[in-house]
Amino acid sequence: MPTDCISFQNSGYFTDLIIDYLNQKSNLQSLYNRFPILENFESQIQEKQANFNDSHRKILVTVLKQQYETVAVSKLTKQNIELLSNSDSFTVTTGHQLNLFTGPLYFLYKIISTINLTKELKTKYPNSNFVPIYWMATEDHDFEEINYFTFKGKKFRWNKESTGPVGRLSTEGLDQVFDVFAKEIGSSTNANAIKKLFRESYLNHSTLADATRFLANALFGEWGLVILDGDQQDLKKMFIPYVKEELLYQKSNTAVLETISKLKDYPIQVNPRPINLFYINDTLRERIVFENGVYKINNTPIQFSESEILFELENNPENFSPNVILRPLYQEVILPNLCYIGGGGEIGYWLELKKLFEASKVTFPILLLRNSALVVTEKQAKKADKLSLSWQDLFSKQVDLLNEKTKQISVFPLDFSMQKELLKNQFSYLENIANQTDKSFIGAVKAQEVKQIKGLENLEKRLLKAQKRKYTETLERITDLQNELFPNRSLQERQNNFSEFYLENGESLIEKLLSELKPLEKEFNIITL
């Protein structure tokens, strides 16, 4: 099996912003609080402990107990919920959409990164307690992003209409998805376990939020994961002062735009709106806009005066939903949180928010890029060895990989760099002569140089193409292996569902991932099953 390591920076799958963040470039250091190394958590603990409103803890624990009333709670999860009452207990949080049957593999990696970091923190800081939180994105409305999952290259889609927060969506119709999926995966012991998990999650629960909570708890409850749904009245009450501030003064827009001006060298992940709030009910999630002294609910006839909307906020805070700009602030107000773990896109938009947190007097969490992994079978690892492929080779763009491998296995060199250099030296000599005799010849000399260099490059391409034909069989094996590991020329973790690997490995899959993924190491994990 290849033994080389792939750093996030050299993988080819992260943006310049994330690479510069990982490299702690000075131009970004004002945009985050502390870099994610174990030693920095001591100061983060002290700051959060000093700034967090401990009266929120009792409400948080009460809400969590209510949300777990119909769920079989593991001993460790129950203990973790109780621990949140204590002022020396803190959370590490990840968030994710309510993807059907977890969606892509990285759903697992985010949660496992979170669980494993709490273990490392407890070892380093034994006098404090650390609770892993999965924040369910129940208030999202982008149903098209979550209504399917992929199994062995085939999409299983839930055909349904959704206009409101997805967490409140009825699970009606998922029996049809189950029937199709059940036929696809067979009837082995592991297949039956997968079918049982799908059935109990989605066919025995009435809303997508309840189904997702059951599913995540079934997969990770044993390791103490605590699952939180922020779409809850008592939690929203704690956020009322910040919503009121947003409605009346709209400071988040100004703060984030000021930060965005410092990110002008990078693509911007999200842009703020004048008011970064939605108004929601079971079938509605629309922006709140302020026009001509009136608060209007976009695309509806609903509108409020200032006094009316503040009355609505005080009496029905659950109807106000933070968008992507304010959701992180909501999370950090209600949780004693130290660290947020997310993907590259999430870290990108969190880096826009520190000034907003400062203006709101809320501690900004440490930002940690989640673990990424490539899961391979022993057979695939042996193939890579036999084909003399390193992991870095397999992470390369396919055209570059095939060109490089053709050059390596060819019995004669296919690189004419030496010949080009000789030509350049000869033409440099001719140019020198022309310069001393008749300068009008210099243009002709340069034109001839360009022509002959281009001729060599064309010969190089033709020779490479001919050698590719000669080694077609070997190159096809390389292509097939890379396509298996990088479906659709993308990261496996963004395409495949966990069930594909559970089918072969059963319960040992998650145990293996938990043992292999190290949250503070900034490199791809190659995990052999």
Side-chain angles (χ1 to χ4, degrees), residues 63-79:
V63 169
L64 283 168
K65 288 179 178 179
Q66 290 170 354
Q67 293 185 354
Y68 271 89
E69 276 180 353
T70 60
V71 181
V73 188
S74 73
K75 181 179 178 181
L76 187 52
T77 294
K78 186 176 182 180
Q79 175 184 309

Side-chain angles (χ1 to χ4, degrees), residues 252-463:
S252 66
N253 184 53
T254 303
V256 176
L257 285 176
E258 186 175 328
T259 303
I260 284 175
S261 68
K262 299 177 183 179
L263 289 165
K264 59 183 182 298
D265 296 331
Y266 307 97
I268 299 305
Q269 196 67 31
V270 295
N271 285 289
R273 296 185 180 277
I275 295 179
N276 292 285
L277 294 166
F278 290 97
Y279 189 80
I280 62 173
N281 59 39
D282 288 351
T283 58
L284 175 72
R285 188 177 190 253
E286 287 287 351
R287 290 190 294 114
I288 300 174
V289 295
F290 186 65
E291 295 176 353
N292 301 319
V294 176
Y295 293 91
K296 299 179 179 179
I297 309 307
N298 203 40
N299 297 319
T300 78
I302 304 170
Q303 61 182 39
F304 301 91
S305 67
E306 180 180 297
S307 60
E308 287 170 340
I309 203 165
L310 294 179
F311 181 85
E312 174 75 356
L313 174 62
E314 289 293 335
N315 290 277
N316 300 294
E318 69 277 10
N319 292 344
F320 294 81
S321 175
N323 74 355
V324 66
I325 295 294
L326 285 183
R327 191 212 63 79
L329 185 68
Y330 176 42
Q331 171 189 298
E332 298 300 312
V333 165
I334 67 174
L335 289 176
N337 195 47
L338 302 176
C339 177
Y340 184 77
I341 298 179
E346 291 173 282
I347 301 302
Y349 73 71
W350 274 85
L351 288 171
E352 299 177 27
L353 304 179
K354 185 165 180 280
K355 192 166 186 63
L356 167 62
F357 273 71
E358 290 171 349
S360 304
K361 296 181 173 56
V362 176
T363 297
F364 195 65
I366 289 175
L367 303 178
L368 177 62
L369 188 64
R370 65 167 172 81
N371 282 120
S372 282
L374 177 65
V375 178
V376 301
T377 64
E378 288 188 9
K379 184 178 179 181
Q380 288 168 331
K382 287 177 180 176
K383 277 185 185 177
D385 262 345
K386 191 173 182 180
L387 292 166
S388 300
L389 292 168
S390 66
W391 296 125
Q392 186 68 63
D393 289 334
L394 287 162
F395 271 79
S396 303
K397 291 182 179 178
Q398 195 162 94
V399 63
D400 296 336
L401 172 59
L402 297 180
N403 286 345
E404 189 59 34
K405 284 299 157 184
T406 303
K407 292 174 184 178
Q408 288 179 16
I409 61 183
S410 179
V411 294
F412 51 83
L414 302 180
D415 186 344
F416 289 177
S417 296
M418 185 174 69
Q419 288 77 9
K420 290 179 210 172
E421 194 60 35
L422 286 171
L423 265 180
K424 288 178 182 178
N425 289 336
Q426 288 175 344
F427 278 100
S428 178
Y429 173 74
L430 291 174
E431 187 178 339
N432 187 47
I433 291 175
N435 204 36
Q436 295 180 50
T437 54
D438 187 346
K439 293 184 179 181
S440 65
F441 284 116
I442 292 176
V445 170
K446 287 187 176 295
Q448 192 64 22
E449 179 184 2
V450 170
K451 181 180 178 181
Q452 293 201 28
I453 293 291
K454 189 170 184 179
L456 272 178
E457 288 174 347
N458 287 334
L459 286 173
E460 196 175 47
K461 288 176 184 176
R462 289 179 64 182
L463 187 57

Side-chain angles (χ1 to χ4, degrees), residues 227-258:
I227 302 155
L228 178 62
D229 180 359
D231 185 11
Q232 206 277 346
Q233 185 184 56
D234 289 335
L235 297 179
K236 292 284 182 72
K237 283 180 181 177
M238 292 191 277
F239 198 55
I240 285 175
Y242 304 89
V243 175
K244 185 176 181 180
E245 188 86 358
E246 179 72 2
L247 290 169
L248 296 181
Y249 306 112
Q250 300 156 33
K251 292 180 180 179
S252 66
N253 184 53
T254 303
V256 176
L257 285 176
E258 186 175 328

Side-chain angles (χ1 to χ4, degrees), residues 96-348:
H96 199 66
Q97 295 170 298
L98 308 190
N99 292 70
L100 185 59
F101 211 41
T102 76
L105 261 173
Y106 67 79
F107 172 84
L108 272 67
Y109 301 162
K110 292 174 89 169
I111 291 177
I112 290 170
S113 299
T114 305
I115 291 170
N116 283 348
L117 181 57
T118 61
K119 293 177 183 177
E120 288 195 45
L121 289 172
K122 184 62 179 176
T123 300
K124 178 71 174 177
Y125 304 104
N127 293 329
S128 296
N129 300 302
F130 306 94
V131 176
I133 298 283
Y134 162 42
W135 178 290
M136 295 195 296
T138 53
E139 295 177 60
D140 278 5
H141 68 294
D142 296 322
F143 184 62
E144 293 300 316
E145 293 184 3
I146 68 168
N147 68 343
Y148 68 92
F149 65 97
T150 303
F151 176 81
K152 294 189 175 180
K154 184 176 180 180
K155 272 191 177 182
F156 294 83
R157 188 178 296 277
W158 181 18
N159 294 312
K160 190 180 182 74
E161 294 293 322
S162 174
T163 55
V166 295
R168 303 184 189 183
L169 189 63
S170 165
T171 54
E172 184 180 357
L174 278 170
D175 54 336
Q176 297 169 26
V177 179
F178 172 75
D179 290 342
V180 176
F181 181 50
K183 291 174 184 175
E184 187 74 22
I185 65 173
S187 56
S188 67
T189 300
N190 289 338
N192 287 333
I194 293 169
K195 286 186 280 189
K196 181 174 183 285
L197 181 60
F198 191 107
R199 186 189 304 110
E200 291 182 344
S201 299
Y202 294 102
L203 307 192
N204 293 349
H205 292 89
S206 59
T207 68
L208 188 56
D210 288 343
T212 304
R213 181 186 296 106
F214 180 91
L215 175 60
N217 183 67
L219 292 172
F220 296 107
E222 179 183 345
W223 291 279
L225 181 69
V226 174
I227 302 155
L228 178 62
D229 180 359
D231 185 11
Q232 206 277 346
Q233 185 184 56
D234 289 335
L235 297 179
K236 292 284 182 72
K237 283 180 181 177
M238 292 191 277
F239 198 55
I240 285 175
Y242 304 89
V243 175
K244 185 176 181 180
E245 188 86 358
E246 179 72 2
L247 290 169
L248 296 181
Y249 306 112
Q250 300 156 33
K251 292 180 180 179
S252 66
N253 184 53
T254 303
V256 176
L257 285 176
E258 186 175 328
T259 303
I260 284 175
S261 68
K262 299 177 183 179
L263 289 165
K264 59 183 182 298
D265 296 331
Y266 307 97
I268 299 305
Q269 196 67 31
V270 295
N271 285 289
R273 296 185 180 277
I275 295 179
N276 292 285
L277 294 166
F278 290 97
Y279 189 80
I280 62 173
N281 59 39
D282 288 351
T283 58
L284 175 72
R285 188 177 190 253
E286 287 287 351
R287 290 190 294 114
I288 300 174
V289 295
F290 186 65
E291 295 176 353
N292 301 319
V294 176
Y295 293 91
K296 299 179 179 179
I297 309 307
N298 203 40
N299 297 319
T300 78
I302 304 170
Q303 61 182 39
F304 301 91
S305 67
E306 180 180 297
S307 60
E308 287 170 340
I309 203 165
L310 294 179
F311 181 85
E312 174 75 356
L313 174 62
E314 289 293 335
N315 290 277
N316 300 294
E318 69 277 10
N319 292 344
F320 294 81
S321 175
N323 74 355
V324 66
I325 295 294
L326 285 183
R327 191 212 63 79
L329 185 68
Y330 176 42
Q331 171 189 298
E332 298 300 312
V333 165
I334 67 174
L335 289 176
N337 195 47
L338 302 176
C339 177
Y340 184 77
I341 298 179
E346 291 173 282
I347 301 302

Side-chain angles (χ1 to χ4, degrees), residues 73-90:
V73 188
S74 73
K75 181 179 178 181
L76 187 52
T77 294
K78 186 176 182 180
Q79 175 184 309
N80 279 340
I81 291 172
E82 294 291 350
L83 282 173
L84 289 171
S85 300
N86 303 334
S87 61
D88 60 356
S89 294
F90 304 92

